[in-house]
Amino acid sequence: NDSSAGLPMDAPAVSIVIDPTPVDANNPATSRRLWVAMYESGVWTTTDSGSSWTPSGLAGKAAYRLHRHTDGRLFCSVAPNAGDADGELWTSTDNGASWTQIPLALPYANPSQPGVGASTLVRDYAVHPANSDVLFVCTAGSWAPQQRNGGVWKTINGGTAWTHVAALDNAGTNSPGIMPPYDPDFVRAFSAFF
């Protein structure tokens, strides 16, 4: 049984999530729903445990990291590429049949520096385990030391408004990340400089 039938062979699979509830309760081993993020080929899904795959949105985008919340909501980050220069964050409430872009209108990290906007170069994200409207994004900072505009941002309303909750010390950080908040009271962020 070819578990990649239908997937594009010219794009790497970079993230996969599984629905813990089988599509058919009478045949759980052969009716699992999975989603896979295919870099520059969007999101793909299967409802037969991987025997066949079909496109599930974000076609042509550099789909990077998928997350399925316990409430069933899907999230997918889109890595920066020529078409999406700063990266994007998308969500689906219908198992990937349709996707809505989460606005990343991040405010200035340092209001005392007019014109220094927040970086929306999204490198990672996390979803609160108890509330899928509470999101954290980790953005890369500017290379200019006086423009430390990266760090961790939080929204409590699904992306309508964001708050800068933590700066990362290295202004030029190009590989920040965020640990999923398994404990709702703590979020752990890290950074690396190459």
Side-chain angles (χ1 to χ4, degrees):
N1 184 3
D2 183 356
S3 63
S4 62
L7 286 176
M9 294 293 106
D10 60 346
V14 292
S15 179
I16 190 164
V17 296
I18 185 169
D19 186 340
T21 306
V23 176
D24 179 357
N26 295 321
N27 298 299
T30 58
S31 68
R32 304 304 290 210
R33 183 188 312 269
L34 293 88
W35 297 268
V36 63
M38 302 291 291
Y39 197 79
E40 295 188 352
S41 291
V43 177
W44 292 69
T45 191
T46 178
T47 56
D48 57 15
S49 299
S51 294
S52 61
W53 294 85
T54 56
S56 185
L58 305 182
K61 292 200 175 279
Y64 188 68
R65 192 165 76 76
L66 285 168
H67 173 79
R68 183 184 180 280
H69 195 268
T70 55
D71 66 8
R73 190 172 172 190
L74 292 170
F75 294 87
C76 185
S77 60
V78 172
N81 66 17
D84 309 300
D86 283 341
E88 300 169 347
L89 189 57
W90 292 77
T91 188
S92 174
T93 57
D94 55 12
N95 289 320
S98 62
W99 293 84
T100 302
Q101 187 172 1
I102 295 173
L104 292 173
L106 306 179
Y108 294 140
N110 188 347
S112 67
Q113 296 178 1
V116 181
S119 168
T120 55
L121 188 58
V122 175
R123 295 297 194 188
D124 204 359
Y125 72 97
V127 185
H128 194 284
N131 184 345
S132 62
D133 280 334
V134 178
L135 306 169
F136 301 87
V137 296
C138 204
T139 65
S142 167
W143 289 101
Q146 72 278 11
Q147 297 181 6
R148 295 175 190 257
N149 52 10
V152 179
W153 303 82
K154 177 183 180 182
T155 181
I156 59 171
N157 50 24
T160 301
W162 293 88
T163 303
H164 193 235
V165 295
L168 297 176
D169 288 339
N170 196 329
T173 297
N174 61 4
S175 293
I178 193 164
M179 300 289 289
Y182 297 111
D183 180 335
D185 295 325
F186 295 96
V187 173
R188 293 166 180 86
F190 59 88
S191 65
F193 183 77
F194 296 94

